[in-house]
Amino acid sequence: MDRDSIFTTLSQLENNVRLHEGIYGIIKFLAVIDRYPNSSMINLSKEAGFPIPICVAIRNELAKIGWCSRESGGTEITELGTEVLSKLGKFNESFSCIDCNGSGLKLSLENYKDSLIQIRKFTDMRGPPNTVIDQSFATTETSLVRVLTMGDNYDLFHGSYALIGDSDLTCIPLALFSNSKSRVVVFDIDTRIRDIIDCANKKLKLNIEFVEHDLRKNIPEEYKNQFGCFVTDPPYTINGLNLFISRGIQLINDTQGGVGYLSFGSKPPQDQLQIQKNLSKMGCLFTHILPRFNEYVGAQKLGGVSTFYRLQILSDAEPLICTDYEGILYTGERNPTIRAYQCKNCKIMIEVGQGNNFVTIEQLKEV
Amino acid sequence: MDRDSIFTTLSQLENNVRLHEGIYGIIKFLAVIDRYPNSSMINLSKEAGFPIPICVAIRNELAKIGWCSRESGGTEITELGTEVLSKLGKFNESFSCIDCNGSGLKLSLENYKDSLIQIRKFTDMRGPPNTVIDQSFATTETSLVRVLTMGDNYDLFHGSYALIGDSDLTCIPLALFSNSKSRVVVFDIDTRIRDIIDCANKKLKLNIEFVEHDLRKNIPEEYKNQFGCFVTDPPYTINGLNLFISRGIQLINDTQGGVGYLSFGSKPPQDQLQIQKNLSKMGCLFTHILPRFNEYVGAQKLGGVSTFYRLQILSDAEPLICTDYEGILYTGERNPTIRAYQCKNCKIMIEVGQGNNFVTIEQLKEV
């Protein structure tokens, strides 16, 4: 195959899968398959940065034209695929550091085994995530390494930390690793979190404050401009991000500025650009982008990972939303999915989704 | 000292040095001194991310109040400084991976010794940098690791690469490590670069094209929309960045999109935010931020380093500047510095700067 016919084929393929990343996205995916032979779809998805269903679609198209094949161990590049790739470039090596898995940070969790056991006692108390409000629990390890990474960035000297929603319970390692005089305040609508925090405060002698707060409502005046740092893992919509970051900016001391830590899964490039625009507009500056940093229990569609961003909040930062918010917020509101489940015993069909008795499959399972 | 008096002191200190990063910037600097005992000012500057003159100013203020001291080996934190820091936080450890120096990439230059020797033959031919047009040569190692990093990111499959200004001669490793059928085109005003490229083409059997072009002028029609990737290290002003990125966008294939690699030193937060806004507006999405990646020969004011950014150029990207550009571009035009030098032999004073016979000290030295 010559270059021109390769590009013609790639164009057709791109038309079939309609990948936002275009032709180069497909070439990248082929190169990922080549670089990591016999990989599972979840690993290919993590490496390429595309959601699993998209990866499956590309893989199927590539298999159809004989550039890769499905083997028992995973996906493999074929001889033809190798030939195509070598026509495009000769260099397909990873320099990702093995020691730190490419993150640049070597967080030996071995050294923090006791802390992990301590924290896990509380994360284990949460029960199932409430997916209606886009809850998806980060692993206990993720909550801990978030805090260690904040320390690496000199961000455990702020003295006051606001957690804008905290079903991940990042507040617990934060209170453990910051100064005992530090103020740690959690704003969340889910009172299960309050109960766990009460318990952690007692058992670990901490002073984490819990404020029961629907983040659609404006931040109470007494908390505005009080914090040096916020941490948030917003609902997975652009509105959710705008709202939670806006709340964060209101909490940050607006003369001194401060920093924000944002966890957010990757979105198609146009959405990512919109997010970058919104953050710039609000006066939040990206200083660190750590892809695949956060791992979640479940959340397989995105390979169970999301990006961890450090934002510098400039002293003249302005929230996009500074009053109560009435709009669409959660994924389920934006793309309502109704699914039918059949009971194994009585064979009755039950509809699950917005507007039904059971909004999530998790709720149905509990009955 | 209690927390309140610490913060009062920090406020005064911040008033004296007028650090853009505010009080937290000063705390960070104290923590850097604490974390890296006996460090030279250049290393403190690299780690903190502030220019050397700013670091010197903060160090002097901190020394005045007895929080740090100047020792023969470098700067050290005092007992009082340690006490202050422990009141603010208890955690000041680095998790930066030793194996890859925190970059996440392990580029063992040992494995590329021959390539380095090969490339250095040509970078050595450049003579002194022309600082009037903000030239500041990246080290030969930097030019090479830029290309290897592009490879790590699956970006050596684009097939066509535009270098928007290339006094760093990144074109040579790029031509060496991409496919021999790849197109590599350098746009530069400096014809010294053409001569070196001619020489490299002959000796290394490469096909790098050189287009003598003042980037203030619009890109010639024949080159627009032809490339999959651009690489640039613009003049160190916001205008310079806007112009060179605009030229890059014009060169990128506007239906397929592509990527851009940008090298740029750190600026005060407000300027960085403006840059982020401009890039978003143009349709360039940050995907990677690698601080301290590029090293330069000289350029000590910024610790001789700059950040390497990967930008995804969206298919509907639009340049901010799409015609000829007449405005201010280079640092010297923005902040003209006139300095007087005295000849060691004849004692005559000679003025150096914009509008004089010798615009730079390098030119004067050559006589």
Side-chain angles (χ1 to χ4, degrees):
Chain A
M1 281 184 104
D2 61 10
R3 275 184 86 91
D4 284 350
S5 61
I6 289 173
F7 273 91
T8 311
T9 308
L10 283 168
S11 279
Q12 288 164 351
L13 218 144
E14 201 245 323
N15 260 331
N16 296 348
V17 294
R18 300 208 168 277
L19 185 67
H20 293 285
E21 286 78 3
I23 280 181
Y24 295 114
I26 294 169
I27 296 175
K28 180 181 177 181
F29 195 75
L30 187 65
V32 170
I33 295 172
D34 177 55
R35 201 183 280 185
Y36 300 98
N38 258 305
S39 281
S40 67
M41 200 44 72
I42 191 160
N43 284 334
L44 295 175
S45 156
K46 274 189 197 171
E47 176 66 18
F50 311 143
I52 288 183
I54 302 282
C55 292
V56 171
I58 309 173
R59 197 267 323 270
N60 291 347
E61 290 289 327
L62 290 173
K64 249 189 249 168
I65 56 171
W67 291 8
C68 80
S69 66
R70 292 176 70 167
E71 304 295 332
S72 55
T75 303
E76 282 229 59
I77 195 159
T78 59
E79 231 171 276
L80 180 59
T82 310
E83 190 199 319
V84 164
L85 210 55
S86 71
K87 287 267 164 64
L88 299 171
K90 62 183 175 191
F91 194 88
N92 192 21
E93 272 180 61
S94 167
F95 293 104
S96 194
C97 175
I98 295 163
D99 222 33
C100 63
N101 211 359
S103 71
L105 295 167
K106 198 173 169 192
L107 300 146
S108 312
L109 286 179
E110 274 299 303
N111 303 339
Y112 295 92
K113 229 191 282 179
D114 295 344
S115 302
L116 262 181
I117 293 171
Q118 218 171 23
I119 303 162
R120 203 184 308 278
K121 271 183 203 148
F122 303 100
T123 50
D124 278 352
M125 291 164 71
R126 281 175 302 194
N130 183 354
T131 51
V132 177
I133 56 170
D134 275 12
Q135 272 186 355
S136 165
F137 297 152
T139 63
T140 311
E141 288 79 0
T142 288
S143 296
L144 174 62
V145 298
R146 278 179 185 161
V147 172
L148 299 179
T149 302
M150 290 168 69
D152 182 79
N153 289 331
Y154 304 94
D155 284 327
L156 293 183
F157 294 106
H158 286 284
S160 49
Y161 306 88
L163 293 111
I164 305 163
D166 192 27
S167 64
D168 297 334
L169 290 169
T170 305
C171 61
I172 296 175
L174 190 51
L176 285 172
F177 285 87
S178 61
N179 192 288
S180 58
K181 296 274 167 58
S182 293
R183 189 175 184 206
V184 177
V185 184
V186 172
F187 298 83
D188 208 300
I189 198 175
D190 184 348
T191 49
R192 294 183 300 176
I193 303 298
R194 187 206 348 239
D195 301 338
I196 299 171
I197 287 174
D198 282 347
C199 188
N201 279 341
K202 261 179 229 154
K203 294 223 169 128
L204 304 175
K205 296 199 177 95
L206 302 174
N207 286 303
I208 304 168
E209 297 169 50
F210 180 89
V211 180
E212 184 182 338
H213 186 70
D214 178 353
L215 288 152
R216 289 182 197 256
K217 302 273 173 219
N218 204 349
I219 295 289
E221 285 304 319
E222 64 200 284
Y223 295 104
K224 286 185 182 166
N225 311 321
Q226 299 296 316
F227 296 86
C229 178
F230 71 77
V231 180
T232 190
D233 192 339
Y236 186 51
T237 59
I238 292 183
N239 288 337
L241 184 134
N242 286 345
L243 181 64
F244 279 42
I245 295 289
S246 289
R247 297 309 185 217
I249 292 169
Q250 290 178 301
L251 291 162
I252 289 288
N253 183 315
D254 62 11
T255 55
Q256 293 176 10
V259 301
Y261 281 90
L262 165 68
S263 298
F264 210 70
S266 64
K267 291 264 183 198
Q270 284 295 355
D271 288 3
Q272 294 269 124
L273 186 70
Q274 191 54 52
I275 290 167
Q276 189 174 302
K277 277 186 184 165
N278 294 346
L279 290 171
S280 300
K281 206 169 172 186
M282 289 193 266
C284 302
L285 177 68
F286 285 111
T287 67
H288 295 65
I289 302 176
L290 299 168
R292 302 183 288 255
F293 182 97
N294 299 292
E295 300 195 352
Y296 298 86
V297 183
Q300 294 303 307
K301 194 178 162 193
L302 286 159
V305 295
S306 80
T307 306
F308 196 41
Y309 300 91
R310 182 179 182 273
L311 306 172
Q312 191 172 343
I313 314 301
L314 273 61
S315 56
D316 57 356
E318 282 289 346
L320 279 181
I321 300 162
C322 44
T323 54
D324 290 355
Y325 175 78
E326 311 282 353
I328 279 173
L329 185 56
Y330 300 112
T331 316
E333 295 171 319
R334 223 177 127 223
N335 307 308
T337 315
I338 309 288
R339 286 209 174 82
Y341 291 91
Q342 190 175 37
C343 174
K344 277 189 188 169
N345 299 323
C346 66
K347 309 287 172 198
I348 285 179
M349 293 292 287
I350 297 162
E351 282 201 341
V352 171
Q354 290 285 332
N356 287 288
N357 286 341
F358 303 99
V359 181
T360 70
I361 180 70
E362 289 82 3
Q363 287 172 2
L364 177 62
K365 275 183 194 163
E366 287 217 332
V367 183
Chain B
M1 286 183 100
D2 61 9
R3 275 185 86 92
D4 283 350
S5 60
I6 290 173
F7 272 92
T8 310
T9 309
L10 283 168
S11 276
Q12 288 162 353
L13 220 145
E14 201 245 325
N15 260 330
N16 296 347
V17 295
R18 299 205 167 280
L19 185 68
H20 293 286
E21 285 79 2
I23 281 182
Y24 295 115
I26 295 170
I27 296 175
K28 179 182 177 179
F29 196 74
L30 187 65
V32 170
I33 296 172
D34 177 57
R35 199 184 282 185
Y36 300 98
N38 259 305
S39 279
S40 67
M41 200 44 71
I42 191 160
N43 284 335
L44 294 176
S45 156
K46 272 188 200 173
E47 176 66 18
F50 311 144
I52 288 182
I54 303 282
C55 291
V56 172
I58 310 174
R59 197 267 321 270
N60 291 347
E61 291 288 328
L62 290 173
K64 250 190 249 169
I65 56 170
W67 291 9
C68 79
S69 66
R70 291 175 70 167
E71 304 296 332
S72 56
T75 304
E76 282 229 58
I77 195 159
T78 58
E79 232 170 272
L80 180 59
T82 310
E83 191 199 318
V84 164
L85 211 55
S86 72
K87 286 267 164 65
L88 298 172
K90 61 182 176 189
F91 194 88
N92 192 20
E93 272 180 63
S94 168
F95 292 104
S96 193
C97 174
I98 295 163
D99 222 32
C100 63
N101 211 0
S103 70
L105 294 168
K106 198 171 169 195
L107 299 146
S108 311
L109 286 180
E110 275 299 303
N111 302 339
Y112 295 92
K113 228 190 285 178
D114 296 343
S115 301
L116 262 180
I117 294 170
Q118 216 172 25
I119 303 163
R120 203 184 307 280
K121 273 185 201 148
F122 303 100
T123 51
D124 278 349
M125 291 165 71
R126 281 174 303 192
N130 184 356
T131 50
V132 178
I133 56 170
D134 276 12
Q135 272 186 356
S136 165
F137 296 152
T139 62
T140 311
E141 287 79 1
T142 289
S143 296
L144 175 61
V145 297
R146 277 178 187 162
V147 173
L148 299 180
T149 303
M150 290 167 69
D152 183 79
N153 289 330
Y154 304 94
D155 284 328
L156 294 183
F157 293 107
H158 287 285
S160 49
Y161 307 87
L163 293 110
I164 304 164
D166 193 27
S167 64
D168 297 334
L169 290 168
T170 304
C171 61
I172 297 174
L174 190 51
L176 285 172
F177 285 87
S178 61
N179 193 289
S180 59
K181 296 275 168 56
S182 293
R183 190 175 183 205
V184 177
V185 183
V186 173
F187 297 83
D188 207 299
I189 197 174
D190 185 348
T191 49
R192 294 183 299 176
I193 302 299
R194 187 211 344 241
D195 299 340
I196 299 171
I197 287 174
D198 281 348
C199 189
N201 279 341
K202 260 178 227 150
K203 294 223 171 126
L204 304 175
K205 297 201 177 97
L206 302 174
N207 286 304
I208 304 167
E209 297 170 51
F210 180 90
V211 180
E212 184 183 340
H213 186 69
D214 179 352
L215 288 154
R216 289 182 196 258
K217 304 273 173 217
N218 203 349
I219 294 290
E221 285 303 320
E222 63 200 283
Y223 295 104
K224 287 184 183 168
N225 311 320
Q226 298 297 313
F227 296 86
C229 177
F230 70 77
V231 180
T232 190
D233 191 339
Y236 187 50
T237 58
I238 292 183
N239 288 338
L241 184 135
N242 286 346
L243 181 64
F244 279 43
I245 295 289
S246 290
R247 298 310 185 215
I249 293 169
Q250 290 178 302
L251 291 162
I252 290 289
N253 184 314
D254 62 9
T255 54
Q256 290 175 10
V259 301
Y261 281 90
L262 164 68
S263 297
F264 210 68
S266 63
K267 292 264 183 199
Q270 284 295 354
D271 288 3
Q272 295 269 125
L273 186 69
Q274 190 55 52
I275 289 167
Q276 189 174 302
K277 276 185 186 167
N278 294 345
L279 289 172
S280 301
K281 205 169 172 186
M282 289 192 267
C284 302
L285 175 69
F286 286 111
T287 66
H288 294 65
I289 302 177
L290 299 167
R292 303 184 288 255
F293 182 97
N294 298 292
E295 301 196 350
Y296 297 86
V297 183
Q300 293 305 307
K301 195 179 161 192
L302 287 160
V305 295
S306 78
T307 305
F308 196 42
Y309 300 90
R310 182 177 181 275
L311 307 171
Q312 190 171 345
I313 315 301
L314 273 60
S315 56
D316 56 357
E318 281 289 345
L320 280 180
I321 301 163
C322 45
T323 55
D324 291 355
Y325 175 78
E326 310 284 352
I328 279 173
L329 185 55
Y330 300 112
T331 314
E333 295 171 317
R334 224 177 128 222
N335 307 308
T337 314
I338 308 290
R339 286 209 176 83
Y341 292 92
Q342 189 175 38
C343 173
K344 277 189 189 169
N345 300 321
C346 66
K347 309 290 171 198
I348 285 178
M349 294 290 288
I350 297 161
E351 282 201 339
V352 171
Q354 290 284 330
N356 286 287
N357 286 339
F358 303 100
V359 182
T360 70
I361 180 70
E362 289 82 5
Q363 287 172 3
L364 177 63
K365 276 185 193 162
E366 288 218 331
V367 184

